[in-house]
Amino acid sequence: NAGVMQNPRHLVRRRGQEARLRCSPMKGHSHVYWYRQLPEEGLKFMVYLQKENIIDESGMPKERFSAEFPKEGPSILRIQQVVRGDSAAYFCASSQMSNEQFFGPGTRLTVL
Amino acid sequence: AQSVTQLGSHVSVSEGALVLLRCNYSSSVPPYLFWYVQYPNQGLQLLLKYTTGATLVKGINGFEAEFKKSETSFHLTKPSAHMSDAAEYFCAVSDQNYGGSQGNLIFGKGTKLSVKP
């Protein structure tokens, strides 16, 4: 049973480009969470999605960031017009109702 | 609002010594509490969790934690440290506002554990 998959593992973008981060939840999981980890910081919640629905996006910056979890395919975290401050590790977690969140290995985004 | 405070960003112990990593939380609702471990360049792995019931929780790799409501604490302990325990440890509390689902996790800033031979 494969765990949570994230790709790419490392992503380098120049300022102003777009970054797309993908997350495939564990089989049978319909809840996906995105977290951001800045250097020397803990993980900060960004957004919680179920299939085709955003449940809670209270941690998502209001501009340039968006997330989706379509009926088919992985969840996507999209960052438009990246800036140096977006450099961080982005972690996805998945769960089924009332169960623990399983984390993926993360995508490390570097903005040059 | 919920929050988590981890005392000590770095803890160093000798191999075989007691490991104690401190975590205090604040929550307006009965909390769900978690400890995760993160090895370099990897994702987080759940060590243990408290939801309801017994306040002393045993986890993987010989770790355990005790929920103390009166002290709003959930400290992580291990009687004897191994070199392989060197990692970063995160305490987290769950926001339970989703009708039964776990909700998003609120993390502390982490404690890096070093184990000396």
Side-chain angles (χ1 to χ4, degrees):
Chain A
N1 187 11
V4 179
M5 310 283 284
Q6 288 188 251
N7 67 81
R9 294 290 308 275
H10 299 273
L11 181 61
V12 179
R13 285 288 178 265
R14 297 191 181 279
R15 280 179 295 170
Q17 292 184 318
E18 178 180 286
R20 279 185 182 238
L21 289 62
R22 294 174 184 78
C23 169
S24 297
M26 286 181 69
K27 187 176 180 181
H29 286 188
S30 58
H31 301 241
V32 166
Y33 307 80
W34 285 94
Y35 295 85
R36 177 165 62 177
Q37 184 179 32
L38 294 169
E40 307 300 320
E41 294 282 331
L43 278 72
K44 293 285 198 292
F45 167 76
M46 298 181 75
V47 62
Y48 164 35
L49 309 103
Q50 293 181 23
K51 284 286 187 181
E52 299 184 277
N53 289 304
I54 295 175
I55 306 302
D56 182 353
E57 55 183 349
S58 59
M60 192 92 97
K62 293 289 184 279
E63 297 179 351
R64 303 189 296 108
F65 284 73
S66 62
E68 62 177 12
F69 188 17
K71 187 176 180 180
E72 302 290 338
S75 175
I76 306 286
L77 179 67
R78 182 182 178 205
I79 311 172
Q80 295 178 288
Q81 300 175 325
V82 295
V83 300
R84 288 222 174 104
D86 297 333
S87 296
Y90 292 82
F91 290 94
C92 165
S94 74
S95 75
Q96 195 46 292
M97 282 292 290
S98 301
N99 288 330
E100 72 177 84
Q101 294 179 26
F102 292 82
F103 282 80
T107 293
R108 280 154 182 83
L109 172 66
T110 301
V111 179
L112 301 177
Chain B
Q2 295 173 309
S3 65
V4 174
T5 302
Q6 291 184 241
L7 295 175
S9 58
H10 290 84
V11 170
S12 181
V13 301
S14 296
E15 194 172 19
L18 171 72
V19 176
L20 171 61
L21 304 182
R22 299 178 187 274
C23 173
N24 288 87
Y25 69 91
S26 68
S27 177
S28 57
V29 298
Y32 287 5
L33 295 159
F34 307 82
W35 276 100
Y36 285 85
V37 60
Q38 184 181 32
Y39 296 99
N41 297 318
Q42 294 187 27
L44 277 70
Q45 180 183 8
L46 181 68
L47 279 177
L48 49 80
K49 64 180 178 182
Y50 168 79
T51 53
T52 58
T55 56
L56 181 62
V57 180
K58 294 186 185 298
I60 61 172
N61 301 340
F63 284 93
E64 61 182 37
E66 186 171 10
F67 169 59
K68 292 187 177 180
K69 185 178 179 181
S70 61
E71 298 178 7
T72 61
S73 69
F74 191 57
H75 302 329
L76 181 70
T77 60
K78 181 174 180 178
S80 176
H82 294 168
M83 297 295 290
S84 60
D85 294 328
E88 190 158 19
Y89 293 80
F90 292 95
C91 182
V93 63
S94 175
D95 183 343
Q96 301 173 57
N97 292 331
Y98 299 118
S101 70
Q102 191 179 66
N104 75 75
L105 293 170
I106 297 157
F107 286 88
K109 291 191 174 184
T111 299
K112 288 184 180 174
L113 175 66
S114 302
V115 181
K116 299 174 291 187

